[in-house]
Amino acid sequence: QALLGPATPVRMAMRYGNPSVESALQSLRQAGAEKLVILPLYPQYSLAATESSVREARRAMKAMDWNVEARFVPAFYADPGFIEAFHEVIRGELSRKSWDHVLFSFHGLPERHVKKTDPSAAHCLATKDCCATIVEANRDCYRAQCFHTAHALARKLELKPEQYSISFQSRLGRTEWIKPYTDHLYEELPKRGVKKLAVACPAFVADCLETLEEISMRGLESWQEAGGDDLFLIPSLNSTDAWARTVARLAGGTA
């Protein structure tokens, strides 16, 4: 809000919880908004999070009978400002702590979710290297976008291939979820000689219970049970200046 100025009212909404999407839209309507920019704060696109939020915003506007012009900001997994902001946070933490390996752990999704975003129905998860590059078939693939984010951060951090891994956390149920699994790497990495693990979670732009509890608490316990010494969670972007400037730019401001 400070960066965009008082002429551009900013409201926060939660997809599930309060303040709700509809209440935020009602507030903007009361503030006299004539054009909307809706920014789903999910760096990588998914049907469960991004698309669900877009549909809820459209549903709410329809329920309000508000035919306002609205622009939805697309996934920003490769945005230079997003990458730089996360790079600054990770670099700072790695310079202050002792580590052997960096793990980029992303929120998990069922495999069927990423297959649904493949218009060719023949690319996603068909080969081991299906996420190596972004092509037309996987341009909306959550897993491919996660790999792109992780590799971009690794390049900025000047990490060698053997110094980092990519994985997916928080799987539920018995269905197949996208791999590699974070908890499986907790077991494998100590066998490779990794004792001190730094974990970054670039699927989130703010710290949350999922990362704090699953990584810092249960993750640390699993890591030490598998033979590792230390595991620490790198903070998310939260309200860092670089991230605030990026959000203002993504929203169409001049910051």
Side-chain angles (χ1 to χ4, degrees):
Q1 182 66 79
L3 289 169
L4 292 176
T8 305
V10 177
R11 300 291 186 272
M12 185 189 76
M14 308 293 288
R15 174 62 185 91
Y16 302 100
N18 293 309
S20 68
V21 172
E22 187 162 350
S23 69
L25 290 171
Q26 290 281 13
S27 178
L28 287 169
R29 188 178 196 176
Q30 292 169 5
E34 297 178 349
K35 294 181 180 180
L36 294 181
V37 175
I38 300 176
L39 171 55
L41 287 172
Y42 310 105
Q44 299 83 23
Y45 175 85
S46 71
L47 295 172
T50 316
E51 189 61 28
S52 172
S53 297
V54 169
R55 290 180 180 179
E56 172 60 14
R58 287 175 172 157
R59 182 208 65 77
M61 286 186 284
K62 183 177 180 180
M64 295 162 52
D65 194 24
W66 192 20
N67 296 317
V68 66
E69 179 182 340
R71 175 173 69 87
F72 292 86
V73 178
F76 46 88
Y77 68 96
D79 181 82
F82 165 69
I83 296 297
E84 178 56 32
F86 235 122
H87 161 251
E88 287 184 14
V89 173
I90 297 173
R91 181 185 60 189
E93 291 296 307
L94 296 183
S95 68
R96 288 188 290 270
K97 298 181 179 180
S98 178
W99 57 278
D100 300 326
H101 198 83
V102 176
L103 178 63
F104 296 104
S105 181
F106 295 82
H107 182 74
L109 280 180
E111 289 187 348
R112 66 178 184 275
H113 282 210
V114 298
K115 289 180 179 179
K116 285 182 180 179
T117 62
D118 177 5
S120 72
H123 181 89
C124 283
L125 304 179
T127 62
K128 289 184 178 181
D129 62 350
C130 61
C131 292
T133 57
I134 301 291
V135 296
E136 181 61 24
N138 69 357
R139 61 184 177 85
D140 289 326
C141 172
Y142 173 80
R143 186 173 184 268
Q145 292 184 4
C146 289
F147 271 73
H148 186 100
T149 296
H151 289 312
L153 288 169
R155 286 193 297 271
K156 292 278 291 184
L157 293 162
E158 298 182 340
L159 296 176
K160 299 177 182 178
E162 65 271 18
Q163 289 182 302
Y164 74 97
S165 300
I166 303 168
S167 63
F168 299 89
Q169 64 199 51
S170 310
R171 71 185 188 278
L172 300 169
R174 298 182 179 180
T175 186
E176 289 294 314
W177 284 50
I178 52 178
K179 303 176 183 69
Y181 297 143
T182 295
D183 56 343
H184 286 190
L185 287 184
Y186 289 158
E187 299 175 3
E188 297 174 11
L189 289 173
K191 297 176 183 178
R192 303 185 206 169
V194 177
K195 296 298 181 181
K196 299 177 181 180
L197 185 67
V199 184
C201 297
F204 303 90
V205 297
D207 287 314
C208 59
L209 285 176
E210 177 176 324
T211 52
L212 296 174
E213 192 275 341
E214 186 171 352
I215 303 298
S216 292
M217 297 170 67
R218 286 191 289 126
L220 175 60
E221 292 176 2
S222 299
W223 178 252
Q224 292 178 334
E225 288 173 0
D229 292 336
D230 187 30
L231 177 153
F232 66 91
L233 173 66
I234 295 171
S236 190
L237 296 171
N238 297 315
S239 59
T240 56
D241 290 344
W243 173 231
R245 290 193 298 270
T246 297
V247 170
R249 178 177 52 76
L250 290 172
T254 58

